[in-house]
Amino acid sequence: MKKIFSMICLMMGITALWAQTPRYGADALTKDTGTTAMWTASPKHEVRAVWLTTIGGIDWPHSYQAEAQKRELNRTLDQLQEAGINTVIIQTRVRATTIYPSDIEPWDGCITGTPGKKASYDPLQLCIDECHKRGMECHAWVVTIPVGKWNKLGCKQLRQKYPKLIKKIGEDGYMDPEQKETGDYLARMCTEIVSRYDVDGIHLDYIRYPETWKIKVSRAKGREYITDIVRKVHRAVKSLKPWVKLTCSPIGKHDDLRRYRSGGWNAHTTVCQDAQVWLKEGLMDGLFPMMYFQDNNFFPFAIDWKEQSDGRTVVPGLGIYFLDPREGKWSIDQVVRQMNVSRELGMGHCFFRTKFLLDNVKGIYDFTCRFNRMPALVPPMTWAGQLVPTEPTELALKGNTLSWQAAKDRSDAPYLYYNIYASEDFPVDVTKAENLVAMRVTKTSVLVPNNGKNYAVTAMSRYGLESRPAQLLLNAGGHYAVPTISRTDGRPVALPKKGAVLDAEYVVIETLDGRQMEVRPYSALLKVDHLPNGIYQLRSLGKKGRNHRIGFFSIKR
């Protein structure tokens, strides 16, 4: 009953919001207001993704020249970064063909113009490297069941090797989901990608029965067959790198709802995708449902995905291609409403496809830049990793170089990222998106503006779990590092070294509201065992009466 009640309340709230949304629509896009008003704050954690389609080069590449392809990809990623995109899902296995040098399948023709012809560079590696330079995640998009035209290279070679594995429907070939070898083969493909590349995710597309397949088994049995494939891929990926996300793109409506019907086209019953169960059983870290619908064919089904997410990531796929008059007749208002409601639900957004976003069809790119004007981190995989890194140490600012000593990772991942925050307030609030200035930095130094702001740095594991922040206070006398709130059960608190900058004869202990508790001579260790439990701030007191806040500590016995 509680879940039904919360769903009704959410529906009522969204109904009211729909009525308000036109002020964020096409009229708002034509006005040079600098930012677009929104009824929900920009979150610190949110997936903002695109599908980068390579089949036929329809998103990328638009040339068969290697250097032109590299320039185009860099330009594309720059534009996506400007629009706040933090996740790029690049089509890697196309139709039993690949955009990387595979030992299993031939090259796709989108790279060199000739199927099977080797490229002079590795496009997948390039995309991963360039995404990571920009603080973006890069997911390898693997098209699973369809293997292309019957006599095209990919399908032809695959059916020659496995003649009983490929079924012909019309002019196309499909891997048979009812054969156990299908799951084994796809798991081997994903193993090859994950073992060779530092991808952030494996994204399974078309992990279902084709809509033209005449399913002769029961729907329950059909779901078992598809789930078995997912289970094999999950085992392959997670046994190698458990921090790599496994996601898929199910049909946009899971099934009929009590009040809203799916129109005979849904994931669970029509094509045997048990995607919500995959989340609950831990077989998927997230879903990107293809929600290319409008109004009541979108919003109630988005709520259903959220309610059934089991705390994992579900990101609505938005059909922005319908903005193009040649594809559909959507107005920009439709997508704006979907983005607003998806953010309110804590779901984020994923655009299909990249081309329509970057072409700024009906102003969608301009709106997205404003909508995502604050950066966002991808939500942490709290279900997969529990160990938080230690905090960075020895944070310092010299000129425009902010540097620190590396933190220690407590997880099984190979390296850490660092997130940089800045604010005029101290301590810097690292929960606010507006304070995030750089993310997923792999080095222990970064160039920053020396503009009088205070800085904080956190370490982040590959699971997205952040450490406590190291804080840097900027003051008139210079820069010096201060700890975040030190925690103690009554044992002495270590104070920062005075050095040449900190003029401190005494240390003042105050409550957070500024009430002075006592004044002590400055020393390396401050005894606090006589103080009651609580949070305190410390100030230095110099010879000429100058004082600076140098940190905080809490006592909890």
Side-chain angles (χ1 to χ4, degrees):
M1 288 296 294
K2 184 183 293 185
K3 182 175 290 187
I4 295 173
F5 177 75
S6 65
M7 186 171 180
I8 292 172
C9 290
L10 196 53
M11 284 287 288
M12 290 174 66
I14 287 177
T15 300
L17 293 170
W18 289 350
Q20 301 170 8
T21 302
R23 69 177 182 273
Y24 311 123
D27 290 342
L29 292 174
T30 61
K31 298 175 182 177
D32 186 15
T33 57
T35 58
T36 300
M38 289 177 289
W39 41 258
T40 185
S42 183
K44 176 184 169 180
H45 290 100
E46 182 176 62
V47 174
R48 303 166 179 175
V50 294
W51 279 290
L52 183 62
T53 310
T54 60
I55 187 169
I58 57 176
D59 282 340
W60 176 85
H62 294 124
S63 167
Y64 296 132
Q65 300 298 318
E67 294 307 312
Q69 291 177 359
K70 295 175 185 179
R71 288 193 299 271
E72 183 190 1
L73 182 61
N74 276 298
R75 186 166 59 251
T76 294
L77 296 178
D78 284 342
Q79 291 176 279
L80 293 175
Q81 183 183 28
E82 184 70 22
I85 299 301
N86 57 25
T87 303
V88 175
I89 305 171
I90 183 169
Q91 193 171 27
T92 301
R93 186 195 191 222
V94 185
R95 290 294 188 273
T97 52
T98 68
I99 64 162
Y100 69 94
S102 171
D103 293 335
I104 304 173
E105 293 185 338
W107 281 88
D108 189 77
C110 70
I111 303 298
T112 63
T114 303
K117 184 179 178 181
K118 181 180 178 181
S120 61
Y121 74 105
D122 187 335
L124 178 57
Q125 186 64 61
L126 176 67
C127 191
I128 293 168
D129 292 343
E130 294 301 328
C131 282
H132 288 178
K133 286 179 185 178
R134 293 165 175 80
M136 298 173 174
E137 290 195 357
C138 184
H139 294 214
W141 165 6
V142 176
V143 178
T144 56
I145 301 300
V147 291
K149 298 300 180 184
W150 190 252
N151 288 314
K152 293 292 185 179
L153 181 64
C155 180
K156 186 176 181 179
Q157 287 195 5
L158 191 57
R159 60 187 175 85
Q160 286 174 346
K161 291 180 182 178
Y162 306 96
K164 296 182 180 180
L165 198 58
I166 310 302
K167 299 293 184 183
K168 185 178 183 182
I169 302 177
E171 298 180 356
D172 297 302
Y174 297 88
M175 301 190 78
D176 187 347
E178 297 172 9
Q179 300 293 323
K180 68 179 186 65
E181 290 82 3
T182 293
D184 298 335
Y185 183 89
L186 291 171
R188 190 153 61 95
M189 286 293 307
C190 294
T191 295
E192 181 179 65
I193 296 169
V194 172
S195 62
R196 291 186 183 182
Y197 297 95
D198 188 22
V199 292
D200 299 286
I202 292 290
H203 179 72
L204 304 181
D205 184 24
Y206 224 109
I207 186 71
R208 59 182 175 87
Y209 277 88
E211 55 269 35
T212 51
W213 189 290
K214 295 180 180 179
I215 305 176
K216 297 180 180 179
V217 299
S218 68
R219 286 303 194 269
K221 188 64 178 177
R223 287 190 287 272
E224 286 183 22
Y225 284 129
I226 301 297
T227 298
D228 184 61
I229 298 172
V230 172
R231 188 173 287 111
K232 288 178 178 179
V233 173
H234 175 270
R235 190 181 304 125
V237 169
K238 298 298 183 177
S239 65
L240 286 170
K241 297 176 181 177
W243 58 89
V244 171
K245 298 179 178 72
L246 184 61
T247 65
C248 72
S249 49
I251 299 299
K253 301 173 184 178
H254 176 69
D255 214 333
D256 290 339
L257 304 178
R258 181 173 297 180
R259 292 181 56 195
Y260 299 93
R261 315 305 274 175
S262 62
W265 180 238
N266 61 65
H268 182 257
T269 301
T270 309
V271 294
C272 299
Q273 286 179 309
D274 222 353
Q276 293 181 352
V277 169
W278 299 342
L279 292 179
K280 290 177 172 59
E281 292 188 357
L283 296 176
M284 286 282 171
D285 296 300
L287 304 176
F288 292 77
M290 300 181 292
M291 302 192 67
Y292 312 151
F293 313 109
Q294 300 185 71
D295 301 324
N296 284 345
N297 284 309
F298 179 91
F299 299 105
F301 294 93
I303 293 171
D304 178 59
W305 284 115
K306 179 63 177 180
E307 290 246 342
Q308 304 301 325
S309 65
D310 204 47
R312 303 201 175 199
T313 305
V314 179
V315 185
L318 307 184
I320 62 170
Y321 64 97
F322 282 122
L323 294 173
D324 190 317
R326 294 167 295 183
E327 300 283 347
K329 297 181 180 180
W330 283 18
S331 70
I332 186 68
D333 289 10
Q334 187 64 231
V335 179
V336 168
R337 284 197 296 270
Q338 292 179 0
M339 291 173 68
N340 272 305
V341 171
S342 295
R343 176 168 288 178
E344 179 70 10
L345 291 170
M347 299 178 77
H349 48 269
C350 184
F351 294 123
F352 188 79
R353 303 179 339 252
T354 298
K355 179 184 186 300
F356 298 98
L357 176 65
L358 300 189
D359 284 352
N360 200 24
V361 180
K362 293 184 180 175
I364 183 59
Y365 182 81
D366 292 338
F367 173 77
T368 302
C369 288
R370 292 197 291 272
F371 188 76
N372 292 340
R373 66 189 184 278
M374 301 297 180
L377 295 168
V378 172
M381 298 169 65
T382 53
W383 54 88
Q386 300 294 328
L387 299 174
V388 177
T390 63
E391 65 191 79
T393 58
E394 300 184 34
L395 187 58
L397 180 63
K398 293 182 179 180
N400 292 102
T401 301
L402 183 68
S403 64
W404 56 91
Q405 289 296 310
K408 182 179 179 181
D409 195 356
R410 297 180 173 126
S411 74
D412 48 3
Y415 59 84
L416 289 170
Y417 292 114
Y418 296 95
N419 299 320
I420 319 301
Y421 301 83
S423 173
E424 293 180 357
D425 296 326
F426 183 85
V428 179
D429 189 342
V430 298
T431 67
K432 293 183 177 180
E434 58 264 34
N435 292 340
L436 183 61
V437 295
M439 55 191 184
R440 290 169 58 91
V441 175
T442 55
K443 299 178 181 179
T444 54
S445 66
V446 65
L447 294 177
V448 296
N450 195 336
N451 56 6
K453 288 191 174 183
N454 303 304
Y455 284 96
V457 177
T458 63
M460 185 174 71
S461 73
R462 295 296 298 274
Y463 296 95
L465 300 171
E466 280 189 284
S467 72
R468 294 191 302 172
Q471 298 272 0
L472 184 71
L473 175 65
L474 181 67
N475 62 80
H479 307 91
Y480 54 91
V482 300
T484 184
I485 294 180
S486 299
R487 293 170 173 81
T488 178
D489 57 3
R491 286 175 288 186
V493 174
L495 298 181
K497 294 180 180 180
K498 290 195 289 184
V501 173
L502 184 59
D503 172 26
E505 291 289 308
Y506 300 94
V507 62
V508 181
I509 304 175
E510 297 178 346
T511 60
L512 290 182
D513 60 5
R515 182 165 52 89
Q516 189 177 108
M517 300 293 289
E518 56 187 76
V519 180
R520 304 263 201 87
Y522 200 98
S523 61
L525 292 175
L526 181 67
K527 291 188 65 176
V528 297
D529 57 347
H530 62 291
L531 295 172
N533 287 354
I535 300 177
Y536 302 88
Q537 59 182 331
L538 296 171
R539 290 186 176 275
S540 67
L541 185 62
K543 294 178 182 179
K544 297 181 179 181
R546 295 174 181 167
N547 72 86
H548 302 289
R549 185 163 56 189
I550 58 175
F552 301 82
F553 69 92
S554 67
I555 302 175
K556 185 177 181 181
R557 297 178 177 88

